[in-house]
Amino acid sequence: MDPKLELVTFSLSHFSEKTRWTLDALGLPYTEIRLTPFLHIPHNLRLTRGRGTSVPILRVGDEIIQDSGRITAWLERTHRAELNACGLIPV
């Protein structure tokens, strides 16, 4: 069974939106945690163990992936067949 995905976002973030679109296109179930800009800082510092405050952040089990580019790279490694099938990356 695949680990639960949690996506930490802002409502009005194009980086968060890009990650939502990709997860939705892949049909991967996830729980979205929408935070308020500036008030998100303590939450994200705790989640990343002080490494950063930016969104999006994808939590996959115990793994924390921060930054839409890094999340996309993780998806390419772990869900390549699904990305190919929906035409998001070249075969």
Side-chain angles (χ1 to χ4, degrees):
M1 180 175 183
D2 288 333
K4 178 181 170 186
L5 302 178
E6 290 183 348
L7 181 64
V8 179
T9 67
F10 292 158
S11 295
L12 299 172
S13 161
H14 63 281
F15 296 111
S16 296
E17 190 65 17
K18 176 173 71 170
T19 302
R20 278 192 292 270
W21 287 344
T22 305
L23 291 170
D24 290 343
L26 291 172
L28 296 175
Y30 63 93
T31 301
E32 185 171 5
I33 301 166
R34 287 192 180 169
L35 301 178
T36 302
F38 303 108
L39 300 178
H40 76 288
I41 293 171
H43 176 273
N44 287 5
L45 284 174
R46 258 190 322 277
L47 188 61
T48 65
R49 296 185 181 158
R51 290 189 312 255
T53 62
S54 64
V55 295
I57 299 172
L58 185 66
R59 183 195 323 226
V60 185
D62 292 333
E63 187 175 5
I64 302 296
I65 307 152
Q66 186 174 25
D67 180 76
S68 60
R70 289 187 181 122
I71 293 168
T72 300
W74 179 85
L75 289 167
E76 287 177 357
R77 285 191 312 276
T78 59
H79 294 83
R80 187 162 192 83
E82 295 95 328
L83 285 165
N84 286 337
C86 64
L88 291 176
I89 60 173
V91 176

